[in-house]
Amino acid sequence: MASFIEDYALLSDMNTAALVSRAGSIDWFCAPRFDSGAVFASLLGDRENGRWLLAPLESVNPSPVEEVRTERSYRENTFILQTVWHVGEASVRVTDFMPLAGGTAIVRSVEGLTGEVTMLQELNMRFDSGKTTPWVTQYDGPADSTGAVDVSQSMLVGMAGPHALVFRGDTIPEGQYGNHTDTFTVSAGQNYVFSLNYFASNHNPPAPIDYSTAITYTTAQWTEWSDLYVPPAIAEATENEISAIRTVPNEEISAESTTSSSIGLPSTNREGEAITNTQLPEIDLATYHELAQTAMHPIVPSTPEQIQTQNDESYREARLRSLLVLRALISRETGGLVAAATTSLPETVGGRRNWDFRFSWLRDVAMAMEVTLAHGHERETAQLRNWIMRAVANSPYNLHSVYGVAGEKDDLERRLALPGYENSQPVRAGNGSDDRFQGDALGQVLVTFAHLRENGVGEDQLSWSLQKALLNSASERIGQPDQSMWEIKGDPHVFTHSQAMLWAAFNAGISAVQEHGLDGDVELWAQCRDRLAQDILSQGFNTELNSFVQTYGGTHVDASLLQLAQIGMVTWDDPRMMGTVARIERELQHESGMIYRYINVRGFDGFEDQDNLHFAASLWLAEHYIRSGREADGRALLDTVLSAANDLGLMSSEYSYAENRQTGNFPHTLAHIALVRAVQALEI
């Protein structure tokens, strides 16, 4: 049974990712790429679909003998997760990470802190998103003169078709058919290390991972990314002053230095006997949700008066974690940025809005380029820029909104034979939306390249020729219906936001010629820009409502209209924009302050129900508040959104206020980009 979405922590090696639950189970892991078939897929099913559990035995039993509490945090500015388990008076620390060198692997260590704790390990290896069980063989290490086997050189190798896994550790779990379990007791001062490597089955297993070397290098790589950015408030400080305000150094992290959140999971059997899968108890869904609620608190909107004492340091930390999320979800091989690490986590639990987000949206990649460049990450900005050019080169005259991680086109959407997260169907692999033209994608790419030029990033023969091709194709899209940036499944409409993004594309092309000396048909582009401006103001703005509207001639609004000021079509405090914000507050805003993307009037988006509050849209509103002179309101909304993020600062795509839980794919790139922008607006 999967945990709450917000109970997961992200691990990444910048090529793929894994999700670790608060209960100590790795329930999602695709190898070797973000979009590969899952090795562990219990997130969308149960443990028989693959998982790797490593937790105190006490925590998985239905009758508690000792109180079990957990505390978890990332090592400073990394994706190295540390979870401290307290079992009565005893405690252990589990460290989970994916090495940033040496192939695709997950490393887990258990360190005894106080007393003795019996740990349970359950390794269920699968391939093809839970469909295939590998054939597993145990290879023992050499025996000494007494016949004792050197366990440190033993390994389990699971193989099926092109895929293979090798497990190594200080104890080797027993079992068959890909299901292996064992128990072991950890005393204070003891340390057990385990690793799982994915490799192609036609190759030999990779060499064992040296724990000390791997964690030192991985820490250094994450820290190098983090240290490139120094917040404006401390930019003038000396190195000693900067060090003084950072969080606790890695070596000082202990059970006392992490953030505590009691789960109250139970325990039993202390004999240390191996437990088979059929013997291993599961906590039922209702009980788990009741227990997990102790780790989440209802989001409570702050008032402007309370905001006056808000510590800006928490905003800076949230921004840095969001920048780290972007780095974690950019493929170091291809430069593609995936929208999330998961597929088919439902936007409404039990509903059908379940999509595969392990793809790269042109819009997201372009928006990410702006924040990476603004925060000093020129190398990653270049990666993203080169990815966009390769993707667009598929066919700039037939631009898609979504591409594969390497920039490939893949419009084949498949259904996976998995139960689904809390039985939410369907479970999808692939994204069929990439064959539809979306005006926002074309516009965002051109707007971002204009920002790069303004910041001194020059064009080359390939980049500008591709942009000209995009502009020429855009001239044929004026007034064309599409599915909006939200990719609705209902009938296409002429969306005001889509047309505004085309306006921004032509505006960017004109500035490239007039201000940067590039060649192009500026006369045609100016005609297109002016025509779009006239159409948007006459059909996309409702004078009676004093508001821009969702579709030409419509009366409703949606959150995408908040981007009109972002692209410079109107100023942040333009009366028409302020009127639009007032309309959004009236129509889309929840009592918490967060907003919906749109109201699904009469199944407008192709579904019958209303989806949940949207993280990114809410953060766009917070940014608009701040930039239009309503800073107190912006801070209040920013606080509300941060209270809905999980304890590690991670956000999915949506949030259910009624159920006090995150929904949708996780963690969501667009939400974290929007958070960076909102904090950046504060200039702190």
Side-chain angles (χ1 to χ4, degrees):
M1 182 211 67
S3 298
F4 276 166
I5 291 169
E6 62 269 13
D7 281 343
Y8 285 97
L10 175 72
L11 307 180
S12 171
D13 67 357
M14 304 182 190
N15 274 326
T16 188
L19 296 183
V20 188
S21 75
R22 195 186 298 272
S25 181
I26 299 179
D27 291 340
W28 185 252
F29 172 48
C30 298
R33 291 195 342 176
F34 291 109
D35 56 351
S36 300
V39 171
F40 302 133
S42 63
L43 178 67
L44 300 176
D46 56 34
R47 66 176 182 246
E48 293 305 318
N49 300 118
R51 73 170 181 179
W52 183 5
L53 174 70
L54 183 60
L57 182 61
E58 298 278 357
S59 70
V60 296
N61 288 290
S63 302
V65 174
E66 301 278 5
E67 181 188 13
V68 178
R69 294 182 297 112
T70 64
E71 305 163 352
R72 65 177 183 173
S73 64
Y74 285 121
R75 280 196 178 186
E76 181 188 9
N77 301 343
T78 72
F79 279 102
I80 299 172
L81 179 70
Q82 296 190 310
T83 304
V84 175
W85 292 87
H86 296 274
V87 182
E89 298 300 318
S91 60
V92 296
R93 175 165 50 218
V94 177
T95 300
D96 298 321
F97 71 100
M98 298 182 71
L100 293 182
T104 305
I106 301 173
V107 177
R108 315 188 76 177
S109 75
V110 184
E111 177 188 358
L113 299 178
T114 60
E116 289 187 350
V117 176
T118 299
M119 300 293 293
L120 169 68
Q121 180 161 226
E122 177 194 345
L123 178 65
N124 295 349
M125 293 185 279
R126 300 291 188 270
F127 294 117
D128 305 319
S129 300
K131 184 174 67 175
T132 303
T133 300
W135 184 267
V136 180
T137 305
Q138 179 169 337
Y139 296 91
D140 291 330
D144 61 20
S145 58
T146 66
V149 173
D150 183 356
V151 178
S152 67
Q153 296 189 48
S154 298
M155 59 184 177
L156 294 175
V157 176
M159 186 178 301
H163 309 294
L165 294 167
V166 55
F167 173 89
R168 297 182 174 95
D170 290 326
T171 68
I172 300 295
E174 298 181 355
Q176 57 183 344
Y177 307 122
N179 300 328
H180 297 259
T181 61
D182 73 339
T183 58
F184 56 95
T185 299
V186 182
S187 302
Q190 285 187 311
N191 194 52
Y192 287 75
V193 177
F194 307 94
S195 66
L196 184 74
N197 292 71
Y198 174 89
F199 65 103
S201 61
N202 60 318
H203 294 171
N204 292 325
I209 294 172
D210 180 83
Y211 178 81
S212 178
T213 301
I215 198 167
T216 299
Y217 180 78
T218 300
T219 300
Q221 290 296 297
W222 285 119
T223 303
E224 183 261 350
W225 161 266
S226 305
D227 285 348
L228 285 176
Y229 175 63
V230 179
I234 61 173
E236 302 302 321
T238 66
E239 181 58 32
N240 288 338
E241 289 170 333
I242 293 173
S243 298
I245 69 168
R246 289 178 178 162
T247 53
V248 181
N250 298 339
E251 62 270 14
E252 295 179 17
I253 294 177
S254 66
E256 288 72 34
S257 67
T258 49
T259 302
S260 176
S261 57
S262 173
I263 299 185
L265 293 174
S267 79
T268 116
N269 187 349
R270 296 300 296 267
E271 284 75 28
E273 298 174 352
I275 297 179
T276 66
N277 281 3
T278 55
Q279 296 171 323
L280 188 65
E282 282 281 4
I283 299 175
D284 65 87
L285 185 66
T287 302
Y288 178 83
H289 285 183
E290 180 180 351
L291 295 171
Q293 287 293 346
T294 63
M296 283 292 289
H297 306 284
I299 57 174
V300 180
S302 303
T303 65
E305 292 76 16
Q306 292 171 320
I307 296 305
Q308 302 306 313
T309 58
Q310 174 64 44
N311 184 357
D312 286 346
E313 185 61 23
S314 65
Y315 295 154
R316 296 189 189 105
E317 291 175 357
R319 169 171 52 191
L320 180 53
R321 179 52 58 185
S322 290
L323 287 166
L324 283 161
V325 169
L326 296 186
R327 175 59 270 185
L329 297 180
I330 297 173
S331 168
R332 59 181 170 177
E333 286 189 0
T334 70
L337 169 70
V338 293
T342 59
T343 178
S344 304
L345 290 182
E347 293 174 0
T348 54
V349 175
R352 296 186 296 115
R353 291 187 184 89
N354 316 324
W355 317 112
D356 191 346
F357 273 21
R358 300 170 301 159
F359 284 79
S360 299
W361 269 253
L362 280 179
R363 173 200 62 225
D364 295 357
V365 177
M367 294 178 75
M369 286 168 62
E370 296 188 19
V371 300
T372 55
L373 182 65
H375 292 83
H377 300 296
E378 296 179 358
R379 178 183 61 199
E380 283 71 23
T381 302
Q383 276 188 302
L384 296 169
R385 178 180 181 271
N386 292 339
W387 180 90
I388 281 183
M389 289 192 293
R390 293 195 303 271
V392 170
N394 267 306
S395 177
Y397 294 97
N398 184 27
L399 191 70
H400 292 186
S401 59
V402 188
Y403 293 86
V405 180
E408 68 272 37
K409 292 188 290 186
D410 177 12
D411 56 5
L412 177 63
E413 187 172 279
R414 303 166 293 281
R415 303 292 175 88
L416 299 179
L418 286 166
Y421 183 84
E422 295 191 20
N423 298 313
S424 300
Q425 286 286 333
V427 177
R428 307 175 195 267
N431 195 298
S433 63
D434 73 342
D435 61 347
R436 302 186 185 97
F437 172 79
Q438 302 296 148
D440 75 291
L442 186 152
Q444 189 63 61
V445 169
L446 272 296
V447 166
T448 295
F449 273 82
H451 287 165
L452 294 182
R453 288 192 295 271
E454 292 165 6
N455 284 277
V457 179
E459 300 287 1
D460 55 37
Q461 187 172 357
L462 174 62
S463 66
W464 180 237
S465 64
L466 286 173
Q467 290 174 71
K468 288 193 294 183
L470 291 176
L471 286 163
N472 291 333
S473 70
S475 65
E476 303 172 5
R477 304 289 190 173
I478 297 174
Q480 179 176 314
D482 65 13
Q483 266 77 24
S484 86
M485 73 172 295
W486 308 124
E487 296 166 8
I488 64 168
K489 302 303 178 183
D491 295 333
H493 296 269
V494 181
F495 285 91
T496 300
H497 171 258
S498 295
Q499 296 300 299
M501 294 306 294
L502 293 180
W503 173 92
F506 289 116
N507 197 51
I510 293 166
S511 71
V513 174
Q514 295 180 343
E515 299 175 22
H516 298 275
L518 298 173
D519 66 296
D521 192 347
V522 70
E523 184 177 345
L524 172 64
W525 299 343
Q527 291 174 358
C528 292
R529 181 191 63 180
D530 295 345
R531 175 188 165 188
L532 279 160
Q534 182 178 2
D535 289 349
I536 290 168
L537 291 176
S538 63
Q539 301 179 66
F541 184 81
N542 187 309
T543 54
E544 293 183 6
L545 299 176
N546 187 34
S547 172
F548 290 101
V549 287
Q550 182 182 35
T551 60
Y552 277 10
T555 58
H556 294 287
V557 292
D558 77 7
S560 67
L561 298 171
L562 290 166
Q563 291 194 320
L564 299 188
Q566 293 182 17
I567 62 175
M569 186 168 196
V570 291
T571 61
W572 296 94
D573 59 354
D574 185 294
R576 294 166 297 186
M577 196 65 218
M578 299 300 278
T580 303
V581 169
R583 192 72 188 174
I584 286 172
E585 291 172 328
R586 187 177 302 114
E587 188 172 325
L588 304 182
Q589 194 163 40
H590 183 265
E591 63 185 73
S592 66
M594 294 179 68
I595 64 174
Y596 299 96
R597 294 181 295 174
Y598 50 81
I599 298 301
N600 189 29
V601 180
R602 294 186 296 276
F604 175 82
D605 68 356
F607 298 93
E608 296 179 359
D609 60 333
Q610 173 66 44
D611 66 344
N612 285 313
L613 300 169
H614 197 259
F615 276 107
S618 300
L619 288 161
W620 293 342
L621 180 59
E623 180 186 1
H624 194 280
Y625 282 156
I626 294 165
R627 295 192 184 277
S628 64
R630 298 172 60 182
E631 182 173 323
D633 292 331
R635 285 175 175 265
L637 181 50
L638 185 55
D639 282 353
T640 298
V641 172
L642 290 178
S643 72
N646 76 359
D647 57 313
L648 299 172
L650 305 179
M651 296 176 289
S652 63
S653 59
E654 299 191 354
Y655 187 85
S656 170
Y657 187 87
E659 298 177 312
N660 183 32
R661 62 186 300 192
Q662 294 188 19
T663 61
N665 284 301
F666 177 88
H668 190 210
T669 294
L670 190 61
H672 286 278
I673 293 172
L675 189 145
V676 173
R677 288 184 57 100
V679 176
Q680 188 175 345
L682 290 171
E683 298 183 351
I684 57 174

